[in-house]
Amino acid sequence: SLKSCESTQNTSDTNLNKRTKSIYTPLELQFIEMKKKYKDAVLCVECGYKYRFFGDDAEIAAKELNIYCHQDHNFMTASIPSHRLFVHVRRLVASGYKVGVIKQMETAALKAAGENKSSLFSRKLTALYTKSTLIGEDILSKEICLDDSLDVEEVTTDVPDNYLLCISENGENLKDRKKGDIVLGIMAIQPTTGEVIFDSFRDCASRLELESRVLRLQPVEIILPSSLSDQSEKLVNSITSM
């Protein structure tokens, strides 16, 4: 009996908003768990015929999308119609945000006919968009079918060369590493066209070769190894800061 009481107390503590002292709703608890997994992304959560933003994500959406944001239970919230999802995702990505789309894994009709009709909809992340990985063609047809009033240019306008660049490096020996000389490998991918560019070259401490390739490709995202030489890191930081 005592263990049961303690268990109930612990459960209620985890469901309690410590700031407002009010209980989180099941949807809010579901959002909290998803946000823990994708802390650096703005999450669009499918709720029926609209997508909702919660907390800081809602405030970002209100600012960038010029939509209304208000307090609902324990979180600030904002919403967009489901048929306008991709247009708004593009705007958030263009503003520099990583955007996660979380969809319902059950339809209302199937849920109503099932045994768990009174429980919360199951949801999971189905897409994670960044500047280099945002491709309009995969949902363009769906968007146009759902809403003929959509401006096609809103959906299809892409950055001309949205390369995703990966850099790796290898100091062949200790003497070269001390001088700053290194062998570098790069691979650039443009998801919208499937174009792949790759190269391997020796570079000096000033990283002139690496700089020329990065400036020529103008990538919108760069993937770096967990450990990078000081010279390479300094160059990448100087380029990305511009």
Side-chain angles (χ1 to χ4, degrees), residues 12 28 33 47 90 134 169 184 219 232:
S12 63
E28 288 175 338
E33 288 304 310
C47 299
R90 293 189 66 80
L134 183 67
E169 60 181 23
L184 283 151
S232 297

Side-chain angles (χ1 to χ4, degrees), residues 56-86:
D56 293 340
D57 294 351
E59 295 187 40
I60 290 170
K63 177 186 172 185
E64 300 295 341
L65 306 177
N66 195 27
I67 59 176
Y68 179 62
C69 178
H70 66 281
Q71 185 76 31
D72 183 24
H73 296 288
N74 294 285
F75 286 104
M76 296 297 289
T77 187
S79 63
I80 56 174
S82 59
H83 65 272
R84 298 285 293 182
L85 170 67
F86 197 57

Side-chain angles (χ1 to χ4, degrees), residues 18-29:
K18 294 180 181 179
R19 182 176 61 83
T20 62
K21 304 301 181 185
S22 58
I23 301 295
Y24 286 116
T25 67
L27 178 59
E28 288 175 338
L29 289 171

Side-chain angles (χ1 to χ4, degrees), residues 169-236:
E169 60 181 23
N170 178 35
E172 290 188 328
N173 56 58
L174 184 60
K175 185 179 179 182
D176 285 344
R177 281 200 294 267
K178 284 184 176 178
K179 287 196 304 179
D181 294 352
I182 208 163
V183 175
L184 283 151
I186 65 167
M187 178 172 284
I189 300 172
Q190 189 170 178
T192 50
T193 63
E195 181 183 5
V196 178
I197 298 171
F198 56 92
D199 194 8
S200 177
F201 53 92
R202 182 181 292 277
D203 209 349
C204 60
S206 60
R207 297 294 187 267
L208 290 175
E209 292 293 328
L210 177 62
E211 182 180 20
S212 67
R213 286 161 173 78
V214 174
L215 291 177
R216 192 179 308 144
L217 289 167
Q218 290 290 309
V220 293
E221 283 187 83
I222 302 177
I223 298 176
L224 301 173
S226 55
S227 60
L228 198 64
S229 62
D230 293 339
Q231 295 91 336
S232 297
E233 187 171 354
K234 184 177 179 181
L235 172 70
V236 171

Side-chain angles (χ1 to χ4, degrees), residues 83-97:
H83 65 272
R84 298 285 293 182
L85 170 67
F86 197 57
V87 173
H88 291 304
V89 166
R90 293 189 66 80
R91 288 174 181 159
L92 288 169
V93 169
S95 299
Y97 296 98

